[in-house]
Amino acid sequence: MELATPLADAEVLRLRRDFPALNQQVHGRDLVYLDSGATSQKPVSVLDAERSFYEHENSAVHRGAHTLAANATELFENARATVARFVGARENEIVWTSNATEGLNLIAYGMSNASLGRGGADAARFVLTEGDEILTTEGEHHANLVPWQELAARTGATLRHIPVADDGTLRMDEAERLITGRTKLVTFTHVSNVTGVLNPVDDLVRMARAVGALVVLDACQSAPHRVLDLAALDVDFAVFSGHKMLAPTGIGVLYGRAELLDALPPFLTGGSMITTVTLEASGYLPAPQRFEAGTQKVSQAIALAAAVDYLSSVGMDRIERWESELGARLVGGFSAIPGVRVLGPGTGVHRAGLVSVDVDGVHAHDVGQFLDDRGIAVRVGHHCAQPLHRRFGVTASTRASAYLYNTTADVDAAIDALAGVRAFFGASS
Amino acid sequence: MELATPLADAEVLRLRRDFPALNQQVHGRDLVYLDSGATSQKPVSVLDAERSFYEHENSAVHRGAHTLAANATELFENARATVARFVGARENEIVWTSNATEGLNLIAYGMSNASLGRGGADAARFVLTEGDEILTTEGEHHANLVPWQELAARTGATLRHIPVADDGTLRMDEAERLITGRTKLVTFTHVSNVTGVLNPVDDLVRMARAVGALVVLDACQSAPHRVLDLAALDVDFAVFSGHKMLAPTGIGVLYGRAELLDALPPFLTGGSMITTVTLEASGYLPAPQRFEAGTQKVSQAIALAAAVDYLSSVGMDRIERWESELGARLVGGFSAIPGVRVLGPGTGVHRAGLVSVDVDGVHAHDVGQFLDDRGIAVRVGHHCAQPLHRRFGVTASTRASAYLYNTTADVDAAIDALAGVRAFFGASS
Amino acid sequence: MSGDLAGLYQQVILDHSREKHGFGLAPTADASSHQLNPTCGDELTLQLHATDGVIGSVTWEGAGCSISMASASLLHDLAPGLTYDEARERIALFRELMQSRGAGVEDEDELLGDAIVLEGVSKYVARVKCAMLAWVALEADLAQLDAAH
Amino acid sequence: MSGDLAGLYQQVILDHSREKHGFGLAPTADASSHQLNPTCGDELTLQLHATDGVIGSVTWEGAGCSISMASASLLHDLAPGLTYDEARERIALFRELMQSRGAGVEDEDELLGDAIVLEGVSKYVARVKCAMLAWVALEADLAQLDAAH
Ligand SMILES: Cc1ncc(COP(=O)(O)O)c(C=O)c1O
Ligand SMILES: Cc1ncc(COP(=O)(O)O)c(C=O)c1O
């Protein structure tokens, strides 16, 4: 296969014109937005798609028979088809959620409902009892850790963790040891939101399959940034958030293999997910409606489809290559600064376009403030990954994360600013 | 207290210019939108508020320290304060949800988590066991029925129902009998989405308080249409949806009395709702953050605040009076048509601005299609209230529901169209 | 009334929706299936009576809109004498017709008989489910017969 | 560097953040409270030592940004000799100062001493929590003493 040409600065500067928020000043300096790992900016086409819906089709989907309702339903379901194609899934395998966090909670609550006897025999494979194990990793976002702690507490199952090595990669020797006949579910992030490490999905899926465990993939940091084919990765479930991939807040996706989604007991219940309701009991529709109770995030789903169209028109393979160049440049620049330690893999290792650092003697909050003063927006804190920060012996770090609209000049500005931090705070003395 | 002047056609026609979707044609006729009970149209000020956020402040709230993040956080929390004021609540009593359905599920899952031992002694009042009863009504939307069926199934509690009388009101004699020492929670809709009946909140709260039961109010059909003071109503929890009150899809509100919200075990877990997370266990923040896991519906919350500002500037008391005039006109017109039966209260009874009818010999789908052909958008089906339709001996009905942007001419168009239905389908013969 | 509405509710359809050919369930049947349209609560039970791989008759009961009732009635008229494979072919063609958004499909007159009066439904995406209800039920019946073999 | 940043990080603040007056916990105290800033994981424990309703000294330990460390250090310098009510008054005034968005408050010099160098923080809404951490801890300590009575 031929490699796609990555983006280049000139093209990126053209793309950037599509993003109104990037065209502003902060503290009298041009904004350099390097916080896309937290949330991305939105192109005009996405904003227009949502507004156009409210100006023309807005009405209740799947519930009305009038013209507007029919048109709204069609746009809404077309959006599902667009997103399904984008990640190599079928339409009935795509469930709208409000964010990735909700998607992970949906799986966890579906399993605890199964464990309480809901869903009958079909749901047997989701039942957890004492002695069963859920396996996650030391490198997860809280969204892929806390719901499983709670699931374990509700069902009596035990939560275990694959440890992270000094270079930020998973200890696969430990994974081998930890994945046993007791393991019912293995869940891990595709790309770390702290270190940029890409986890070995194929190996983990193989190990999980060998013991019959379900596999959940947190694709929050991969779906926006690289070509994703969930059917090819052969995971059972996956989640991601629209706001990190050019779409509005309030929309996320849960992917599940069709036969699993149809067997998992419902999570949220209410209107539009039922067949027949009596005062005593209710019957439930198959997926995806089964998991879409109440009025859905209609305009947000339509806007997510517009975002996906934008990404596809640029080319996910090209975006991936460009960000990997930016990531390499960030790592190179940051690690050359005295007193700056990169968390996770150093130079020369393939990584996503995000890098977190600890600055000796200066707290991350102060680092971030110093950069902000130069118009550079980065993320400071634990990035919702306290255990991983503890693993690296710090409580907080400073993260720069790039996206398709960042140039090498953006990266260089961040490197240049970071180089001045320790002197300003008197930490180099 | 002086009565507010209701709106009048001339002013409504001026307001209507603010709603782009209302200014279009369907089947060659001017759109007459009478489906606001399902979802409302949006004024330009709401669309602009959301867009402006994406053009200027968009970034992660409560997680970032850079300028955009600080500005976004401020707009987001100001939105909470605006919505709190609108319903007579304090800021920490307002939790964002994605819709009312999620709010009701949040309470139900919080209680089932408490029943599984989560939340410790503080959560004791939310624990349900066999013998305990949950009381709802025969007139509820599925959103306020199915989650309680599931909660009962998970905990062993029993679900009971206050029956509905022939005129659509609750059988308060039965309520008196059903609310006993075993009743742990009483939940009911403020205004019925099928009959427009206003339920007697004060009486039900008094009865529930007498036995120490919690009270949940489904305010979906009241918050958008009338002055609402939740503290004065003295309910424990309430829910409503933004999309029914001029705001975008994807945003809803759960109100809870502060001391209850802080004691209820978390529902969705993940980032931004925690204090300290270790691999083994997590501590949780107080409300509202406790219930707001992951990236929130930021632009939607800001847009909801803009919607609330729009409603307040018109005046909720004036809107309420206008809709009650429109409701009376609808009931009068519909019930005068031979073969048309109004579900619930007839003429002369105070009601909200929505009316559902059964047309003898013509299925609701066909009625709706006939009206749509004249540009009139109404809702057909069971309106997510199958038990109530069964109570009235029908499976589906046709509902016209008005809002502040509807004129008497809209109502008259619907009456005129409905009068022609039976002849067209040969049902009058 | 717009031309669209007249195209949707042709007189033949309104007649069928009242006459309901084949309405009433037989005491026994070779296959039977129950279908539901969750949006409106419409329900339909459709029985298949067959001999030697050829459909003898189709009987049904249910409540619903004029489109769903007329569609079941028209299917009752069309089905007798068809082999299972022929019936499947007609169902597939009818589905294609319903998804054609008013464009129609080839050979429709020949293969679908009077049921082509439902072509107008294809312009109303929200109503396609109503028209399909009986046909989906027949499809389920045929699948039952297959499974029994 | 913008003027704003210089206003936020005055030399006095940077000095206090390194010198950390009062750092180190005593074996016993009359009240002690632990505060956490969940955004960044910063933590602070602050002890109150008092005699007859008058603050003797404040000692503390914690890890955090320069603003939170300097603020604790400045509070250590300010607190001794204040009655509980005076301390509460200063905390209230400091909170008001932090919420003033750069506008300042009356009597700040007189009542808050060197701590007024933190005024620049009030322009940075996201950092107000950092500056407040020690003061909220002292407030909690005072509430403990009240509760003990
Ligand atoms: C009375 C009532 N309750 C609950 C709901 C559910 O609201 P949503 O679908 O926005 O969650 C609705 C609206 O559909 C309603 O009218
Ligand atoms: C790896 C990872 N998982 C999960 C999440 C949670 O996503 P959200 O907050 O959109 O639910 C994030 C982003 O915050 C993330 O980076």
Side-chain angles (χ1 to χ4, degrees), chain A residues 63 271-272 293-296, chain B residues 37-38 98-104 139-144 189-194 218-222 239-244 251 354 379 383-384 399:
Chain A
R63 291 189 181 181
S272 299
T295 304
Q296 288 300 294
Chain B
S98 54
N99 54 25
T101 301
E102 196 196 23
L104 293 164
E140 300 305 310
H141 188 283
H142 294 160
N144 201 22
T189 194
H190 197 176
V191 171
S192 162
N193 70 319
V194 176
D218 176 352
C220 276
Q221 296 292 345
S222 56
V239 300
F240 53 94
S241 280
H243 68 92
K244 291 187 200 280
I251 183 81
L354 68 82
R379 172 86 181 268
H383 321 319
C384 299
R399 180 183 73 189

Side-chain angles (χ1 to χ4, degrees), chain B residues 19-375:
Chain B
F19 294 80
L22 295 177
N23 182 26
Q24 61 177 312
Q25 294 215 320
V26 164
H27 293 295
R29 310 281 285 262
D30 284 344
L31 171 63
V32 173
Y33 188 76
L34 286 170
D35 196 19
S36 296
T39 202
S40 70
Q41 297 302 337
K42 327 298 176 198
V44 169
S45 64
V46 167
L47 303 181
D48 285 351
E50 200 170 2
R51 186 159 191 132
S52 168
F53 171 77
Y54 284 120
E55 291 179 350
H56 301 105
E57 293 86 13
N58 175 56
S59 52
V61 308
H62 287 307
R63 290 190 183 180
H66 57 78
T67 300
L68 262 57
N71 295 346
T73 304
E74 205 176 339
L75 283 177
F76 180 66
E77 289 303 329
N78 285 350
R80 196 192 303 274
T82 300
V83 172
R85 266 194 312 274
F86 185 71
V87 295
R90 285 179 284 160
E91 289 170 42
N92 59 343
E93 297 178 324
I94 297 294
V95 173
W96 303 120
T97 62
S98 54
N99 54 25
T101 301
E102 196 196 23
L104 293 164
N105 278 275
L106 187 160
I107 306 167
Y109 275 106
M111 293 181 76
S112 72
N113 289 344
S115 307
L116 289 168
R118 307 303 295 157
D122 286 354
R125 67 179 304 178
F126 301 112
V127 172
L128 292 179
T129 51
E130 232 157 298
D132 289 339
E133 294 181 0
I134 305 164
L135 185 64
T136 176
T137 90
E138 199 179 8
E140 300 305 310
H141 188 283
H142 294 160
N144 201 22
L145 173 60
V146 190
W148 309 115
Q149 291 178 343
E150 288 289 330
L151 175 61
R154 289 195 298 268
T155 57
T158 303
L159 183 63
R160 299 204 178 281
H161 316 85
I162 305 173
V164 165
D166 288 344
D167 67 355
T169 61
L170 289 180
R171 290 275 307 275
M172 293 303 285
D173 53 333
E174 287 289 317
E176 199 88 57
R177 204 179 57 76
L178 285 161
I179 299 178
T180 70
R182 285 188 300 278
T183 313
K184 290 293 172 291
L185 181 134
V186 180
T187 182
F188 55 90
T189 194
H190 197 176
V191 171
S192 162
N193 70 319
V194 176
T195 62
V197 162
L198 180 74
N199 283 325
V201 182
D202 290 350
D203 293 339
L204 290 164
V205 167
R206 188 180 34 74
M207 291 177 185
R209 288 271 171 270
V211 299
L214 295 166
V215 178
V216 177
L217 185 72
D218 176 352
C220 276
Q221 296 292 345
S222 56
H225 301 288
R226 46 194 307 127
V227 177
L228 191 64
D229 185 336
L230 292 170
L233 287 181
D234 194 29
V235 296
D236 294 307
F237 295 100
V239 300
F240 53 94
S241 280
H243 68 92
K244 291 187 200 280
M245 50 197 288
L246 312 189
T249 56
I251 183 81
V253 170
L254 167 74
Y255 159 85
R257 287 200 294 114
E259 65 272 31
L260 291 175
L261 283 183
D262 284 341
L264 189 68
F267 166 46
L268 301 176
T269 58
S272 299
M273 50 76 72
I274 51 83
T275 51
T276 304
V277 174
T278 67
L279 285 171
E280 288 72 34
S282 303
Y284 301 120
L285 287 167
Q289 275 73 35
R290 184 184 194 78
F291 299 104
E292 295 179 354
T295 304
Q296 288 300 295
K297 308 102 182 114
V298 184
S299 72
Q300 292 80 17
I302 291 165
L304 175 54
V308 156
D309 285 341
Y310 187 95
L311 290 170
S312 301
S313 77
V314 177
M316 288 310 291
D317 44 357
R318 302 181 66 217
I319 292 171
E320 181 178 337
R321 289 200 62 202
W322 177 240
E323 291 180 18
S324 129
E325 285 184 23
L326 294 179
R329 195 176 181 104
L330 274 169
V331 166
F334 283 172
S335 37
I337 303 171
V340 168
R341 172 165 72 113
V342 169
L343 305 185
T347 51
V349 184
H350 178 78
R351 57 151 60 245
L354 68 82
V355 181
S356 300
V357 296
D358 176 47
V359 178
D360 188 32
V362 186
H363 189 277
H365 255 189
D366 296 320
V367 176
Q369 199 74 59
F370 183 84
L371 266 61
D372 180 61
D373 191 61
R374 299 194 175 192

Side-chain angles (χ1 to χ4, degrees), chain D residues 79-97:
Chain D
L82 299 181
T83 64
Y84 297 172
D85 279 348
E86 284 167 351
R88 276 201 200 88
E89 187 191 356
R90 312 293 158 106
I91 293 169
L93 191 71
F94 186 74
R95 180 172 280 128
E96 214 184 300
L97 178 67

Side-chain angles (χ1 to χ4, degrees), chain D residues 84-119:
Chain D
Y84 297 172
D85 279 348
E86 284 167 351
R88 276 201 200 88
E89 187 191 356
R90 312 293 158 106
I91 293 169
L93 191 71
F94 186 74
R95 180 172 280 128
E96 214 184 300
L97 178 67
M98 286 301 104
Q99 289 165 353
S100 74
R101 298 175 170 271
V105 289
E106 279 188 40
D107 299 330
E108 55 182 45
D109 294 27
E110 201 179 314
L111 294 171
L112 297 177
D114 281 353
I116 59 154
V117 297
L118 289 164
E119 178 171 334

Side-chain angles (χ1 to χ4, degrees), chain A residues 62-63 65 74 274-276 285, chain C residues 36 38-39 43 101 125-127:
Chain A
H62 286 308
R63 291 189 181 181
E74 203 175 343
I274 50 83
T275 51
T276 303
L285 288 167
Chain C
L36 180 85
T39 322
E43 304 193 42
R101 295 172 173 272
V125 186
R127 303 303 296 279

Side-chain angles (χ1 to χ4, degrees), chain A residues 5-183:
Chain A
T5 6
L7 295 171
D9 281 333
E11 186 175 353
V12 169
L13 287 173
R14 272 198 306 277
L15 291 179
R16 192 183 274 195
R17 286 193 222 127
D18 299 333
F19 295 80
L22 295 176
N23 182 26
Q24 60 177 312
Q25 294 215 320
V26 164
H27 293 298
R29 309 281 285 263
D30 285 342
L31 171 64
V32 174
Y33 189 76
L34 286 169
D35 196 16
S36 297
T39 202
S40 70
Q41 298 302 337
K42 326 299 174 198
V44 170
S45 63
V46 167
L47 303 182
D48 285 351
E50 200 170 0
R51 187 163 190 129
S52 167
F53 171 77
Y54 284 121
E55 291 179 350
H56 300 103
E57 292 87 12
N58 175 58
S59 52
V61 308
H62 286 308
R63 291 189 181 181
H66 58 78
T67 300
L68 261 58
N71 294 347
T73 303
E74 203 175 343
L75 282 176
F76 180 65
E77 290 303 328
N78 286 350
R80 196 192 303 275
T82 300
V83 172
R85 266 193 311 275
F86 185 70
V87 295
R90 286 179 284 160
E91 290 171 41
N92 59 342
E93 297 179 324
I94 297 295
V95 173
W96 303 119
T97 63
S98 54
N99 55 24
T101 301
E102 196 196 23
L104 293 163
N105 277 275
L106 187 161
I107 306 167
Y109 275 105
M111 293 181 75
S112 67
N113 289 343
S115 307
L116 288 169
R118 307 303 295 156
D122 286 354
R125 67 180 302 178
F126 301 112
V127 172
L128 292 180
T129 50
E130 231 157 299
D132 288 339
E133 294 181 2
I134 305 164
L135 186 64
T136 175
T137 91
E138 199 178 7
E140 299 306 310
H141 189 282
H142 294 159
N144 201 22
L145 173 59
V146 190
W148 308 115
Q149 291 178 343
E150 288 290 329
L151 175 62
R154 287 195 299 268
T155 57
T158 303
L159 183 64
R160 301 206 178 280
H161 317 86
I162 305 174
V164 164
D166 289 344
D167 67 355
T169 60
L170 290 180
R171 289 275 307 275
M172 293 303 285
D173 53 334
E174 287 288 319
E176 200 87 59
R177 204 179 57 76
L178 285 160
I179 298 177
T180 70
R182 284 189 300 279
T183 313

